[in-house]
Amino acid sequence: MPVYMVERELKGISMEDLAGAQQAAIATAADMRGKGEDVRYIRSTFAPEDGRCMCLFEGTSAAQVQGLNDTAGLPYTRVVEALDLTP
């Protein structure tokens, strides 16, 4: 399944709000899977110094992953197909 990277600008976000955003992404993906959609949250990487956050999802399309983030109320600057190079 394709992997999509969601780029976010979260400068100044608290660690509590960051954890809440991650939980919203996980819960929304689980809800969508429960409704028959093939989508999954993989992980996020956050750089606190400049507030950049990159989140990886598996999904059927960029539009599906955008919809997940819109439903979860999570801001993003773009969604692009990516390669997950985890060893």
Side-chain angles (χ1 to χ4, degrees), residues 25-69:
I26 292 167
T28 303
D31 183 55
M32 291 172 71
R33 277 194 316 280
K35 295 176 181 174
E37 292 197 52
D38 201 6
V39 65
R40 181 175 75 91
Y41 169 84
I42 300 172
R43 73 175 159 279
S44 297
T45 301
F46 178 65
E49 184 175 312
D50 65 4
R52 294 189 66 197
C53 187
M54 306 294 177
C55 303
L56 295 180
F57 294 83
E58 285 182 335
T60 57
S61 69
Q64 180 192 47
V65 172
Q66 286 174 331
L68 184 157
N69 283 272

